[in-house]
C-alpha cells in the first residue's frame, strides 16, 4: 500500500467520503447545493477534490452533522462567514459563526420543543 498522500494532493470522491464517513452520493448532492464546491472532473467523470474543496466539505460536514443545520442553514452560515471575515480557517470549524452562536442554541431549543409537541 502506498504512503499517506501529501497535504496538497488532490483527493478522489471515495477518499473524501471515507475520511468523513459519508457516502459518495452525499458529496455529489452537496456539489449541486453549494455553488462554491466545484471539484475538477476528468473526461471520464471522475471527481478530484482540491485541498480547498476538502476544507469546504469539512466545514459543510461540521455544520450539517456537527451543529445539526439543514443544508439551507449551512449555506447561510457559510455566506455569513465568508462575508464577515473574508473566509474561514480550518481552525474555526467549532464556531463557524461565533457572533451568532447563541442563535444556534436558541434554534436547537425551539427544535427540541417542537419535537416534544409533535
Amino acid at each position: 500500500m502506498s504512503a499517506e498522500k501529501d497535504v496538497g494532493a488532490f483527493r478522489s470522491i471515495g477518499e473524501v467520503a471515507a475520511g468523513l464517513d459519508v457516502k459518495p452520493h452525499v458529496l455529489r448532492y452537496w456539489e449541486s447545493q453549494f455553488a462554491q464546491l466545484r471539484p475538477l472532473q476528468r473526461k471520464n467523470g471522475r471527481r478530484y477534490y482540491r485541498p480547498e474543496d476538502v476544507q469546504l466539505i469539512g466545514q459543510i460536514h461540521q455544520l450539517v452533522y456537527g451543529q445539526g443545520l439543514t443544508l439551507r442553514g449551512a449555506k447561510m452560515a457559510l455566506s455569513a462567514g465568508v462575508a464577515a471575515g473574508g473566509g474561514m480557517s480550518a481552525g474555526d470549524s467549532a464556531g463557524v459563526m461565533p457572533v451568532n452562536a447563541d442563535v444556534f442554541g436558541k434554534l436547537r431549543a425551539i427544535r427540541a420543543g417542537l419535537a416534544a409537541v409533535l
Side-chain angles (χ1 to χ4, degrees):
M1 198 92 200
S2 65
E4 184 68 26
K5 282 189 174 182
D6 184 37
V7 175
F10 288 19
R11 306 274 193 261
S12 70
I13 192 169
E15 291 171 324
V16 176
L20 294 173
D21 196 29
V22 297
K23 300 286 184 186
H25 71 267
V26 172
L27 298 179
R28 288 191 293 272
Y29 182 70
W30 286 357
E31 289 173 26
S32 71
Q33 297 299 307
F34 293 89
Q36 311 96 311
L37 184 56
R38 293 287 168 235
L40 299 175
Q41 282 191 317
R42 291 193 167 257
K43 290 179 183 178
N44 63 5
R46 287 193 55 124
R47 290 165 168 79
Y48 289 97
Y49 293 93
R50 297 174 289 255
E52 55 270 18
D53 294 327
V54 175
Q55 181 182 359
L56 177 61
I57 290 170
Q59 291 170 347
I60 295 168
H61 187 270
Q62 171 62 26
L63 290 168
V64 173
Y65 292 100
Q67 295 185 13
L69 296 179
T70 62
L71 290 182
R72 183 176 181 191
K75 284 184 216 177
M76 291 172 31
L78 287 173
S79 295
V82 170
M88 294 186 297
S89 66
D92 198 18
S93 62
V96 174
M97 293 174 44
V99 174
N100 294 325
D102 60 322
V103 173
F104 290 128
K106 290 176 185 176
L107 289 173
R108 284 191 193 103
I110 291 169
R111 182 191 308 163
L114 288 172
V117 171
L118 297 175

